[in-house]
Amino acid sequence: MGWEALRQWGQDAVRVAPLAGGVANDVWRVRIGDRLAVGRLGARSDADLAWETDLLEFLDRQGLAVPVPIPTVTGRPFADGLVVMTYLEGGPPRTPDDWSRVADTLREVHRLTVGRPQRPGWRSSIDLLHEDAGTRIDLSAMPADGVARCRAAWARLAARPRCVVHGNPGNPGNILITAERVALIDWDESHVDVPDLDLALPFNAAGLDAADRDVASQASAAWEAAVCWGDDYSRARLAEVRPV
């Protein structure tokens, strides 16, 4: 259906301007009546979007700043691949103190989401020690040496507890900071995994010791190589993962 689905938020719902950052999705600033919002149109399944919108509603109830799904006129949190969410103000983290606040917020997400079910169709990095594919990852498309390096990096985390991870918090564009709060946006890559994947942050903002920082950095580079495999960025990330 495409953007025609926006009519399910009302006849006065309109697109205003495209937003940067959409890769797998088409993201726009939209207006619902007199309310500014963000619309994200993609090809994810209803089960996938139900998991994500339920997560965002849960985190909002816990007091975290996240984009909250705005329901259609019939009360649905999404429709035909389109999610409309609250528009959040703020700017990207710039200083070590900013990134320390980001790390604290991520750890709260991790604490609150231990035990949540996996996003439908996804695999964690630990699952991928024995499986080859899940959603955007297809290890069979990577060179065998690259797969072995990624799995060796993830294996170092096998004993860690699992929780929801944001999936790409190192991108400053996914964070909106004000003096009062840290907002995490763009949860399209969120899934259940080991929290270390979220903690390889600029300035070592999570305060990891040398050994834990190495583990987190290697596992994060391996994940980004696998999830983006095929472009120059993914190859550069794989080059950061040490040979077995």
Side-chain angles (χ1 to χ4, degrees):
M1 177 176 285
W3 281 101
E4 292 82 1
L6 188 58
R7 295 174 186 167
Q8 298 184 57
W9 278 262
Q11 291 303 312
D12 57 355
V14 295
R15 283 189 288 172
V16 176
L19 292 171
V23 177
N25 303 287
D26 191 16
V27 184
W28 282 67
R29 185 179 293 116
V30 301
R31 190 173 296 280
I32 311 295
D34 60 358
R35 183 180 190 182
L36 199 60
V38 174
R40 191 191 77 197
L41 180 66
R44 293 289 177 83
S45 69
D46 283 359
D48 183 287
L49 293 178
W51 184 95
E52 182 183 348
T53 53
D54 181 70
L55 170 69
L56 293 174
E57 290 168 348
F58 168 76
L59 293 175
D60 174 64
R61 291 194 302 271
Q62 301 305 309
L64 294 176
V66 296
V68 181
I70 299 170
T72 66
V73 294
T74 59
R76 300 176 63 197
F78 57 88
D80 300 312
L82 177 63
V83 185
V84 177
M85 297 166 280
T86 51
Y87 182 84
L88 297 172
E89 300 284 353
R94 302 183 186 281
T95 68
D97 283 346
D98 287 344
W99 281 105
S100 179
R101 293 172 63 199
V102 173
D104 290 344
T105 302
L106 288 165
R107 284 194 163 111
E108 183 66 1
V109 172
H110 301 159
R111 183 186 70 82
L112 290 168
T113 57
V114 172
R116 286 185 79 88
Q118 182 60 277
R119 191 170 191 154
W122 283 73
R123 299 290 181 270
S124 72
S125 57
I126 308 308
D127 295 329
L128 291 170
L129 295 176
H130 309 290
E131 300 185 45
D132 292 329
T135 310
R136 290 179 58 192
I137 290 182
D138 180 5
L139 296 181
S140 67
M142 297 179 69
D145 172 69
V147 174
R149 287 156 64 188
C150 289
R151 283 176 164 161
W154 298 330
R156 298 167 73 189
L157 295 167
R160 298 286 209 277
R162 301 189 206 182
C163 57
V164 171
V165 296
H166 176 278
N168 191 16
N171 177 358
N174 289 337
I175 302 158
L176 297 172
I177 285 187
T178 68
E180 294 76 30
R181 55 99 178 114
V182 174
L184 301 174
I185 64 172
D186 192 0
W187 291 79
D188 188 52
E189 302 296 325
S190 59
H191 62 285
V192 171
D193 215 312
V194 289
D196 307 65
L197 292 183
D198 272 349
L199 299 178
L201 298 171
F203 304 108
N204 189 26
L208 304 178
D209 64 27
D212 284 344
R213 188 179 187 188
D214 180 70
V215 170
S217 297
Q218 287 286 292
S220 178
W223 180 266
E224 291 191 4
V227 81
C228 302
W229 185 252
D231 61 17
D232 290 342
Y233 177 78
S234 64
R235 291 182 174 87
R237 291 297 273 159
L238 182 60
E240 298 175 30
V241 182
R242 286 191 294 273
V244 177

